[in-house]
Amino acid sequence: MKVERAVLRELPLELREPFAASHGVVRHRRVLLLTLRGEGLEGWSECVALAEPTYTYETTDTAWRLLTEVLLPGVVGHPFADPRAVLDPVDWVRGHPMARAAVEMAAWDMAARADGVSLASKLGGTRGAVPVGVSVGLEPTDQRLEDTISRHLADGYRRVKIKISPGRDVEMLARVREKFGSVSLSADANSAYTLADLPRLRELDRIGLEMIEQPLAPDDLLGHAELQREIETPVCLDESVCSVTDARLALHLSACLVLNLKPGRVGGHAAARQIHDLMRAADVPVWCGGMLESGVGRAHNVALASLPGFTLPGDLSASRRYWVRDIVDPEFEVVDGEMVVPAGPGIGVTVDADRVASLTVREAVFG
Ligand code: OSB
Ligand code: MG
């Protein structure tokens, strides 16, 4: 295979409802879409970086700069035998796993189409449908939160994850537990706490959460290990794990009992698969998280989530949970708490090219 042409586009997509976490509110998503073309094949991906460096250090603009000035000029014109090798011409780049993942994941889509198989089966997926949960942002009042959760449960989601931050945590979750009984609940702090908050975090143990996701700073693996020794609620890492090396260290330190695995955060599908294999061997369950992606990123996530180690419901919600209208056809749906893994070639959904063209605010073409 060869990348003969690459097109990077940015399109703002407005969320149906603003999404708030401890680090800020997302009202519209600056979607970065990448298309690779070569030898009659096409590959699509989405870069998951957020607009501001609130989650990890990467942003839409750092990814745009890496992709347009370094990665895409570096890979266009170079043949590659396997998607794992597409970034070889720029293997000197340090960091920026979200920008690199965009190129690698589009190459996987191309490679799956070249073989005439779905991305899921190319990656080694074994399931035709995956169980799904929903991630609920910080709501201003308990009443609004309860209404939102009721709506999602009626839509069939099998697990509800609630964003928390100091001041909106134990009491809020205790009310939710009381109101919704034995429903599967978890909480995501997006690094809003420190070990000085240990007494507060210990109180979470009485709520019966499936896990507490990323309570401490992204670079604080030791802190998460220490916390896990002090609380019963399983600690789940998210933004602390951005590479296979991070995952090995997290395991070595026993810094988590669960992992939220996002291919777009760890450098792509190859790294995600390696992390999946490591966690499986260590008996650490993984689930596929989300980054408020459009249908293109979602298609990649759902394909990965069909691998056997993804034993917990992912943050893989229906297109209509995020967008009035998605940019792929068919849109993603949730039926009986599951999402069907597309079976067609590659990502298995069609990008609405006219709609993408009409929404695009900037575009860079290579080759
Ligand atoms: O921490 O998992 C997170 C969204 C953007 C960035 C980080 C996170 C999230 C979510 C939403 O929790 C997951 C989704 O539904 O896409
Ligand atoms: Mg998270």
Side-chain angles (χ1 to χ4, degrees):
M1 277 172 298
K2 186 167 167 181
V3 181
E4 289 161 354
R5 190 178 171 84
V7 182
L8 183 67
R9 297 183 178 92
E10 178 176 341
L11 37 139
L13 269 192
E14 195 175 342
L15 283 161
R16 272 167 79 134
E17 292 159 8
F19 187 85
S22 61
H23 50 65
V25 185
V26 183
R27 288 193 171 76
H28 75 263
R29 193 72 172 95
R30 292 174 65 185
V31 175
L32 287 189
L33 274 192
L34 176 63
T35 322
L36 300 181
R37 288 209 177 81
E39 297 171 354
L41 296 164
E42 201 172 78
W44 287 86
S45 70
E46 175 171 351
C47 179
V48 301
L50 299 179
E52 301 297 336
T54 51
Y55 170 79
T56 64
Y57 62 84
E58 290 188 86
T59 69
T60 314
D61 292 318
T62 66
W64 182 273
R65 143 124 170 83
L66 259 286
L67 284 160
T68 57
E69 290 181 31
V70 180
L71 303 177
L72 297 175
V75 303
V76 168
H78 281 270
F80 61 99
D82 183 289
R84 278 166 284 203
V86 68
L87 285 163
D88 282 358
V90 285
D91 65 359
W92 49 269
V93 170
R94 300 290 168 258
H96 300 278
M98 293 178 178
R100 285 190 283 111
V103 181
E104 197 257 18
M105 291 165 76
W108 276 98
D109 183 24
M110 258 179 111
R113 291 178 205 234
D115 293 353
V117 300
S118 70
L119 175 62
S121 70
K122 179 88 183 161
L123 292 172
T126 52
R127 270 185 291 231
V130 296
V132 296
V134 63
S135 172
V136 178
L138 282 165
E139 297 280 358
T141 65
D142 287 354
Q143 189 56 51
R144 286 267 307 260
L145 176 62
E146 286 171 17
D147 293 346
T148 304
I149 294 172
S150 299
R151 197 157 39 85
H152 291 315
L153 290 175
D155 285 339
Y157 291 102
R158 294 193 184 177
R159 180 271 287 138
V160 177
K161 161 175 136 183
I162 303 167
K163 296 286 185 182
I164 60 169
S165 69
R168 293 288 287 160
D169 49 28
V170 177
E171 293 75 14
M172 175 183 80
L173 290 168
R175 283 194 53 162
V176 170
R177 172 57 82 210
E178 199 180 320
K179 164 109 199 203
F180 294 98
S182 61
V183 66
S184 175
L185 287 181
S186 67
D188 186 357
N190 288 109
S191 303
Y193 296 85
T194 70
L195 277 179
D197 299 308
L198 182 58
R200 192 100 190 121
L201 292 167
R202 220 182 239 128
E203 285 183 61
L204 292 174
D205 281 347
R206 68 181 158 89
I207 296 166
L209 300 174
E210 305 290 334
M211 67 194 87
I212 164 80
E213 183 175 335
Q214 196 68 42
L216 310 178
D219 62 357
D220 197 6
L221 284 176
L222 273 179
H224 283 98
E226 200 174 327
L227 176 65
Q228 185 68 88
R229 287 193 291 271
E230 299 293 329
I231 65 174
E232 278 163 27
T233 306
V235 170
C236 170
L237 291 176
D238 177 358
E239 46 269 56
S240 281
V241 175
C242 295
S243 65
V244 177
T245 321
D246 289 344
R248 290 182 55 219
L249 186 55
L251 277 181
H252 182 76
L253 295 171
S254 302
C256 64
L257 293 177
V258 186
L259 182 71
N260 172 345
L261 184 49
K262 304 173 179 174
R265 187 194 71 222
V266 300
H269 285 305
R273 256 188 355 183
Q274 283 184 57
I275 294 171
H276 161 273
D277 294 350
L278 281 169
M279 295 294 154
R280 209 166 168 224
D283 251 332
V284 172
V286 304
W287 54 279
C288 186
M291 294 286 293
L292 308 173
E293 291 94 340
S294 78
V296 173
R298 194 162 318 281
H300 279 277
N301 290 345
V302 173
L304 182 73
S306 71
L307 269 69
F310 286 82
T311 51
L312 300 172
D315 281 345
L316 301 164
S317 306
S319 296
R320 70 182 188 91
R321 181 257 181 276
Y322 308 93
W323 321 110
V324 171
R325 210 171 125 208
D326 207 334
I327 56 169
V328 299
D329 182 49
E331 295 201 346
F332 285 92
E333 287 178 2
V334 171
V335 178
D336 294 335
E338 289 191 323
M339 189 168 277
V340 171
V341 182
I347 60 172
V349 289
T350 306
V351 180
D352 184 341
D354 291 341
R355 184 121 185 287
V356 165
S358 74
L359 292 169
T360 295
V361 294
R362 59 173 166 168
E363 181 175 291
V365 182
F366 302 85

